[in-house]
């Protein structure tokens, strides 16, 4: 198994190089540092000197791949590609346009993100699966039909409406929770309730319907009939047998997102004013701070690949037949 | 030839009509082959499916009307060359004439006769008071504001009656059609259309259409005289904005498919069928693309496209062409980032099909690879393509709103539900609350996405070979 893990990590390298090249091409070749400088300076202040000064200040005053003016190995290393792009592999994210260190921002901002994303993920999973099992329990009755109709209606509503509606009803009209804000520690729990609730409700339609389909596929199999024939109550059949056997497709969709919980949700964090990575990213996009966007793209890819690896490992936990060679 | 207007074909219009052409060719193909028609007939029998088709068709019609663009001629001065307006209008704008022109000063509530905020009013005797001024257009035909309630009711009644009238004509036509097809007398045809389960789809389509006609009739009778959904911050009619947004939503949902489909089909099938080196490269490609968080990849590409548009002003001549270019870029970017899911699905299917007996037989007979792909593989994966296209549509319409909120969606000046929601966020914090813009965006978007989801369900049920097994 260790050999498998190591091989998977090695496979990740070409993919990360691909991501790296793609973002480099997008941000430096299609769109030159000169364009970047022009946007940041604003239309009024664009002069050749101003552009050069901006590029020097932010370290963009280098050639893309080959630096003819440098000596020795520096000809290849003192370039934008190495300085700005390859450095990401060492998790050296460099500086944002406002001069702050991106790496430090990430390590401080990932905790608020996690404080929202982890409860949303866990509560959501429990709610979606329970709701789907409930629908399956009442399968082929009007309750099931009503539940599916509700799911389709819920998934037809844009996520933005859940956030806005939640803030308006619970925060403004009923004054139950603060509309937005964040505080670390136990005192901050009141700030977490609404974003978590909104996050869970927003996903209910889509996920519950998906899980219901999974469970319905299992429920007609022979082992379920056998379990019932043994006289097991339906509750045990559903929770132990059906849920257990539907675990592989559930894990396939679920485990891969776990590492990405660190990155938080763009929409939820920016609406609720949570100083996490999601709002960091959205601010960077709106301020066109490409250094941060590049760092987040790279980080996101690393976490996704980690998620894929964890998915494979999780299969061995729920299905003893799976062996990783 | 001297037209009173100059036709303008924006990029998105051209692509939309190309897509329409593709769909028409597809429909002709389906009509010719019985085995292709059978699943569609099943869709036609499903009541929810047909109801959603009618709703989608209405949206589509508005979107298409809004895609016939032109620049009206300006009043010519003798001796001068003919000048055209800088602003691009569409056929829909002409039809919605009063809605477009009747802009107030700022917010006004639905059916209001007065503005939503107080202004300084100059009284005839020279004094100045602060009050809610009368609207310039909304309810301007009323001699006193007390008449408003009865006037709205009377107009609604007339609107409903005219809608019912058109609907009645449609029902009569449907009965006559059934009578002729089945060789029955009219009373029998009517009871058949009304009761028989086999006509369930047609019946629900007619009922939906009737409801829409009545609603449309009422709206038509109201719209010229009131702001049915109020006005926004700059006094624009919200109903007009919501209707204009239909085109944007539809374009995002469909043009993206037009770009995504060839990529997914070609790469997915090639990876599965050819295997080996091609498979490795294509798999590497989509794993790499997949590993980048979706919104970030889209955001990165849109930021770059934005800079590209800004530095190349010679690509467009009018403001409309500029926002249109951004929309097309957005669709392209969404297409390039969203082909991976379908491609992976198609690869798996092609991998399975490759080993099937009939494909092996075709290969043994020396049929060329391209012919095998075209005649045997493609038709057998088409149900997957269709299902994923209709499912993606609603997801894309929803994505537009989120992307516009993040700031990487359509041009901020373009009418879109995302921009409406974005603008409406601050309005909820006002006291008293300005709720109508958000409500309008919600209603229009929800209807479209719900119809698309229901239609997708119908299509999946009819085309997915596994769905028959399910309880």
């Amino acid at each position: 198994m260790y050999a498998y893990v190591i091989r998977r990590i090695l496979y990740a390298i070409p993919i990360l190089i691909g991501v790296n090249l793609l973002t480099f091409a997008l941000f430096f070749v299609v769109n030159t540092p000169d364009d970047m400088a022009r946007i940041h300076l604003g239309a009024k202040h664009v002069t050749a000197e101003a552009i050069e000064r901006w590029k020097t200040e932010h370290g963009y005053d280098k050639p893309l791949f080959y630096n003819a003016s440098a000596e020795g190995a520096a000809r290849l290393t003192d370039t934008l590609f190495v300085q700005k792009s390859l450095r990401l592999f060492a998790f050296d994210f460099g500086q944002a346009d406002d001069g702050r260190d991106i790496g430090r921002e990430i390590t401080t901002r990932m905790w608020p993100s996690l404080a929202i994303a982890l409860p949303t993920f866990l509560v959501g999973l429990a709610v979606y699966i329970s709701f789907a099992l409930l629908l399956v329990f009442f399968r082929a009755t009007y309750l099931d039909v009503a539940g599916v109709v509700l799911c389709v209606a819920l998934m037809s509503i844009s996520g933005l409406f859940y956030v806005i509606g939640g803030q308006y009803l619970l925060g403004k009209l009923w004054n139950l929770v603060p509309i937005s804000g964040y505080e670390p520690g136990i005192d901050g729990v009141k700030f977490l309730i609404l974003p978590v609730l909104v996050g869970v409700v927003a996903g209910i339609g889509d996920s519950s319907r998906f899980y219901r389909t999974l469970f319905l596929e299992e429920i007609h199999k022979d082992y379920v009939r056998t379990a019932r024939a043994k006289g097991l109550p339906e509750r045990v059949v559903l929770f132990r047998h059906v849920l257990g056997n539907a675990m592989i497709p559930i894990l396939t969709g679920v485990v891969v997102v776990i590492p990405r919980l660190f990155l938080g949700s763009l929409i939820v964090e920016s609406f609720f004013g949570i100083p996490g990575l999601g709002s960091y990213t959205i601010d960077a996009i709106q301020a066109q701070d490409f250094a941060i966007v590049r760092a987040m793209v790279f980080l996101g890819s690393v976490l996704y690949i980690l998620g894929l690896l964890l998915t494979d490992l999780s299969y061995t936990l729920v299905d003893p037949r799976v062996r990783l060679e | 030839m001297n037209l009173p207007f100059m036709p303008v074909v924006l990029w998105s219009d051209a692509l939309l009509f190309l897509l329409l052409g593709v769909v028409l060719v597809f429909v002709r193909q389906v009509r010719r082959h019985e085995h292709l028609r059978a699943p569609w007939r099943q869709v036609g029998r499903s009541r929810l499916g047909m109801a959603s088709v009618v709703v989608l068709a209405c949206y589509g019609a508005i979107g298409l009307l809004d895609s016939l663009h032109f620049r009206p001629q300006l009043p010519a001065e003798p001796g001068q060359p003919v000048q055209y307006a800088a602003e691009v209008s569409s056929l829909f704008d002409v039809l919605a004439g009063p809605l477009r022109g009747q802009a107030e000063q700022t917010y006004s509530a639905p059916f209001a006769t007065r503005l939503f905020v107080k202004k300084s009013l100059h009284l005839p005797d020279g004094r100045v008071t602060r009050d809610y001024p009368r609207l310039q257009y909304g309810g301007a035909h009323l001699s006193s504001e007390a008449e408003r309630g009865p006037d709205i009711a009377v107009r609604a009644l007339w609107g409903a009656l005219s809608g019912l009238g058109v609907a009645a004509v449609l029902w009569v036509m449907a009965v006559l059609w059934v009578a002729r097809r089945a060789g029955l007398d009219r009373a029998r045809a009517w009871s058949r259309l009304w009761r028989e389960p086999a006509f369930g789809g047609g019946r629900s389509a007619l009922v939906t259409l009737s409801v829409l006609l009545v609603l449309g009739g009422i709206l038509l009778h109201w719209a010229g005289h009131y702001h049915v959904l109020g006005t926004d911050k700059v006094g624009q009619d919200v109903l007009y904005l919501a209707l204009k947004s239909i085109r944007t939503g539809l374009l995002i949902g469909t043009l993206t498919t037009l770009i995504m489909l060839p990529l997914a089909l070609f790469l997915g099938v090639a990876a599965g069928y050819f295997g080996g080196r091609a498979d490795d490269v294509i798999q590497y490609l989509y794993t790499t693309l997949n590993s980048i968080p979706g919104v970030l990849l889209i955001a990165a590409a849109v930021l770059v496209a934005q800079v590209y548009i800004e530095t190349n002003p010679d690509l467009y001549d009018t403001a409309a062409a500029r926002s249109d270019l951004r929309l097309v870029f957005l669709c392209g970017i969404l297409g390039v980032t969203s082909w991976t899911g379908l491609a992976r699905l198609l690869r798996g299917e092609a991998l399975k099909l490759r080993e099937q007996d009939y494909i092996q037989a075709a290969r043994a007979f020396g049929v060329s690879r391209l012919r095998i792909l075209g005649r045997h593989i493609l038709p057998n994966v088409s149900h997957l393509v269709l299902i994923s296209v209709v499912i993606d549509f609603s997801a894309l319409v929803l994505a537009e709103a989120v992307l516009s909120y993040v700031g990487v969606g359509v041009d901020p000046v373009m009418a879109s539900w995302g921009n409406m929601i974005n603008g409406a966020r601050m309005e909820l914090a006002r006291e008293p609350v300005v709720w109508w813009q958000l409500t309008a965006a919600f209603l229009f978007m929800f209807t479209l996405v719900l119809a698309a989801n229901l239609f997708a369900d119908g299509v999946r049920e009819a085309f997915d070979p596994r769905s028959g097994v399910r309880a």
Side-chain angles (χ1 to χ4, degrees):
Chain A
M1 192 169 112
Y2 291 111
Y4 178 82
V5 172
I6 289 170
R7 208 167 64 228
R8 284 295 296 263
I9 291 173
L10 289 181
Y11 278 145
I13 292 173
I15 290 174
L16 287 177
I17 291 178
V19 171
N20 210 304
L21 281 175
L22 186 72
T23 43
F24 184 76
L26 270 178
F27 285 116
F28 289 102
V29 183
V30 180
N31 188 350
T32 61
D34 285 25
D35 295 328
M36 226 181 326
R38 233 169 263 139
I39 285 187
H40 280 280
L41 292 169
K44 287 180 199 148
H45 311 288
V46 176
T47 55
E49 301 93 78
I51 289 180
E52 283 311 314
R53 193 162 358 102
W54 189 89
K55 276 162 66 179
T56 320
E57 274 170 22
H58 293 92
Y60 291 113
D61 56 340
K62 296 188 178 84
L64 288 178
F65 293 106
Y66 185 75
N67 192 347
S69 63
E71 295 292 318
R75 286 189 170 187
L76 284 177
T77 57
D78 197 22
T79 57
L80 280 179
F81 182 64
V82 173
Q83 297 293 326
K84 295 281 174 194
S85 219
L86 276 188
R87 272 201 181 180
L88 293 175
F89 277 100
F91 293 100
D92 174 4
F93 298 114
Q95 287 181 340
D97 285 347
D98 60 3
R100 292 208 218 163
D101 185 55
I102 298 177
R104 192 178 309 137
E105 289 280 314
I106 287 175
T107 44
T108 51
R109 278 172 173 266
M110 64 186 226
W111 300 111
S113 284
L114 211 54
I116 302 282
L118 196 62
T120 310
F121 171 77
L122 293 176
V123 175
L125 201 59
V127 169
Y128 305 152
I129 289 183
S130 320
F131 188 57
L133 281 174
L134 202 69
L135 290 183
V136 172
F137 183 75
F138 288 110
R139 65 190 166 277
T141 66
Y142 279 107
L143 269 177
D144 179 33
V145 177
V148 174
V149 169
L150 182 73
C151 283
V152 176
L154 284 178
M155 63 192 262
S156 304
I157 299 174
S158 165
L160 295 174
F161 287 114
Y162 289 107
V163 182
I164 297 173
Q167 277 186 326
Y168 182 71
L169 284 182
L170 270 70
K172 195 177 169 195
L173 222 52
W174 299 336
N175 264 323
L176 293 177
V177 286
I179 290 183
S180 67
Y182 179 79
E183 218 174 277
I186 279 295
D187 294 338
V189 172
K190 62 174 186 284
F191 291 108
L192 302 185
I193 297 169
L194 188 54
V196 170
L197 189 71
V198 164
V200 170
V201 172
I204 229 174
D206 228 350
S207 309
S208 294
R209 215 168 76 118
F210 173 67
Y211 291 138
R212 173 181 168 275
T213 324
L214 284 186
F215 296 144
L216 278 184
E217 260 169 37
E218 288 294 319
I219 208 144
H220 295 290
K221 291 195 176 157
D222 289 341
Y223 72 88
V224 177
R225 198 179 330 134
T226 312
R228 289 213 193 97
K230 284 193 300 182
L232 289 181
E234 187 71 10
R235 176 174 45 87
V236 178
V237 173
L238 283 181
F239 272 93
R240 186 168 307 153
H241 293 261
V242 173
L243 184 59
N245 280 289
M247 224 44 193
I248 290 265
I250 293 179
L251 285 178
T252 308
V254 161
V255 179
V256 73
V257 303
I258 293 177
R260 274 203 189 162
L261 293 178
F262 284 106
L263 295 184
S265 149
L266 298 186
I267 300 297
V268 168
E269 286 188 14
S270 84
F271 265 101
F272 289 103
I274 290 150
L277 284 178
S279 55
Y280 188 53
T281 314
I282 210 169
D283 291 345
I285 292 172
Q286 275 158 2
Q288 309 211 339
D289 191 330
F290 293 155
I292 300 177
V293 176
R294 258 183 302 127
M296 297 310 286
V297 166
F298 186 76
L299 200 60
S301 313
V302 172
L303 293 175
Y304 175 79
I305 291 165
L306 187 65
L308 288 182
L309 180 63
L310 287 180
T311 307
D312 282 355
L313 294 180
S314 72
Y315 291 158
T316 56
L317 294 179
V318 297
D319 192 343
R321 289 169 303 183
V322 176
R323 296 250 168 79
L324 299 179
E325 299 292 332
Chain B
M1 198 173 67
N2 208 350
L3 290 171
F5 59 85
M6 180 167 84
V8 176
V9 180
L10 299 175
W11 273 105
S12 59
D13 299 342
L15 289 171
L16 190 66
F17 287 112
L18 174 70
L19 184 74
L20 198 66
V22 172
V23 171
L24 287 181
V25 170
F26 176 71
V27 169
R28 232 186 70 174
Q29 201 69 12
V30 168
R31 284 180 65 96
R32 280 186 180 171
H33 300 285
E34 177 52 33
H35 69 282
L36 295 177
R37 255 156 61 184
W40 282 111
R41 217 172 278 143
Q42 193 186 330
V43 177
R45 275 197 297 271
S46 99
R47 279 177 295 169
L48 274 177
M50 283 310 282
S52 53
V53 165
V54 170
V55 174
L56 288 178
C58 285
Y59 272 88
I62 295 177
L64 279 180
L65 282 178
D66 206 6
S67 298
L68 295 164
H69 286 103
F70 63 90
R71 282 162 72 178
Q73 198 175 40
L74 292 176
E77 286 164 37
Q80 294 286 320
V82 185
Q83 294 276 330
Y84 294 98
E87 204 180 350
V88 177
S89 307
S90 73
L91 196 56
F92 173 76
D93 291 334
V94 175
L95 294 176
L99 281 181
R100 186 190 194 197
Q102 300 183 347
E104 308 290 348
Q105 281 177 314
T106 178
Y107 292 119
S108 70
F111 294 112
T113 53
R114 286 174 179 274
L115 220 52
F116 193 66
V117 289
K118 281 189 177 173
K119 295 259 168 172
S120 298
L121 295 178
H122 297 274
L123 295 178
D125 55 4
R127 283 180 305 138
V128 176
T129 62
R130 285 192 68 77
D131 196 7
Y132 302 102
R134 276 292 289 267
L135 292 181
Q136 214 177 336
Y137 300 100
H141 61 294
L142 302 171
S143 49
S144 96
E145 283 169 79
E147 291 169 16
R148 191 181 65 149
D151 185 61
I152 291 173
V154 169
R155 283 180 193 281
L157 192 67
W158 279 116
L161 283 179
S162 56
L164 275 179
V166 180
V169 172
L170 283 176
W171 279 95
V172 170
M173 277 163 61
V175 169
L176 290 180
W177 185 74
V178 171
R180 234 183 74 187
R181 280 287 295 261
L184 297 167
D185 62 275
R186 278 162 208 173
R188 292 275 290 284
W190 163 256
S191 75
R192 207 166 178 191
L193 181 67
W194 192 236
R195 295 221 178 80
E196 221 163 278
F199 284 96
R203 195 162 57 229
S204 92
L206 276 172
V207 170
T208 316
L209 200 57
S210 309
V211 171
L212 286 177
L213 279 171
V214 169
L215 280 178
I218 296 175
L219 272 183
L220 269 184
H221 277 76
W222 278 343
H225 304 276
Y226 295 99
H227 298 291
V228 180
L229 291 171
T231 53
D232 72 351
K233 194 170 183 186
V234 293
Q236 276 253 10
D237 190 285
V238 171
L239 177 65
Y240 174 71
L241 278 181
L243 287 171
K244 284 290 273 184
S245 306
I246 289 177
R247 175 174 182 267
T248 314
L250 288 179
L251 279 178
I252 298 250
T254 52
L255 286 194
T256 304
T257 307
L258 190 71
I259 291 158
M260 171 270 267
L261 214 52
L263 274 173
L265 263 179
F266 178 73
L267 292 175
V269 170
Y273 185 72
F274 295 120
R277 191 70 54 82
D279 191 18
D280 289 342
V281 171
I282 292 165
Q283 273 202 67
Y284 169 71
L285 213 61
Y286 71 60
T287 318
T288 305
L289 272 179
N290 246 354
S291 77
I292 302 177
V295 186
L296 279 180
L297 182 59
I298 293 165
V302 171
L303 287 180
V304 169
Q306 219 168 305
V307 175
Y308 181 76
I309 292 175
E310 267 165 44
T311 46
N312 292 288
D314 47 323
L315 286 173
Y316 45 87
D317 49 357
T318 55
R322 183 197 151 108
S323 10
D324 184 74
L325 197 64
R326 180 159 166 178
L327 180 68
V328 172
F329 270 127
L330 181 65
C331 290
I333 290 161
L334 284 170
V336 172
T337 51
S338 66
W339 60 270
T340 52
L342 180 59
R344 177 186 278 174
L345 213 65
L346 290 178
R347 173 182 170 272
E349 196 67 18
L351 214 59
K352 248 191 309 185
L353 288 176
R354 189 172 64 169
E355 305 303 329
Q356 296 280 318
D357 290 342
Y358 62 92
I359 305 247
Q360 302 281 5
R363 209 179 295 159
F365 280 128
V367 180
S368 79
R369 281 174 164 187
L370 272 181
R371 233 180 133 68
I372 291 182
L373 281 182
R375 286 209 75 97
H376 297 297
I377 305 260
L378 269 189
N380 282 307
V381 297
S382 60
H383 67 284
L384 287 177
V385 174
L386 191 76
I387 292 172
S388 92
V389 164
V390 287
I391 289 179
D392 279 356
F393 175 81
S394 51
L396 285 167
V397 175
L398 290 178
E400 184 270 325
V402 171
L403 290 178
S404 293
Y405 171 74
V406 178
V408 292
V410 297
D411 203 70
V413 297
M414 196 165 196
S416 88
W417 292 312
N419 284 338
M420 282 173 78
I421 299 170
N422 215 351
R425 276 179 61 219
M426 288 301 129
E427 295 172 357
L428 279 188
R430 288 174 69 109
E431 209 54 65
V433 176
V434 175
W435 48 270
W436 45 89
Q437 188 164 206
L438 195 69
T439 314
F442 173 78
L443 283 180
F444 277 81
M445 213 168 151
F446 179 66
T447 314
L448 177 63
V449 177
L450 185 65
N453 275 333
L454 292 174
F455 179 64
D457 274 4
V459 168
R460 184 163 48 181
E461 210 129 289
F463 283 85
D464 191 348
R466 277 192 312 173
S467 68
V469 189
R470 251 186 253 144

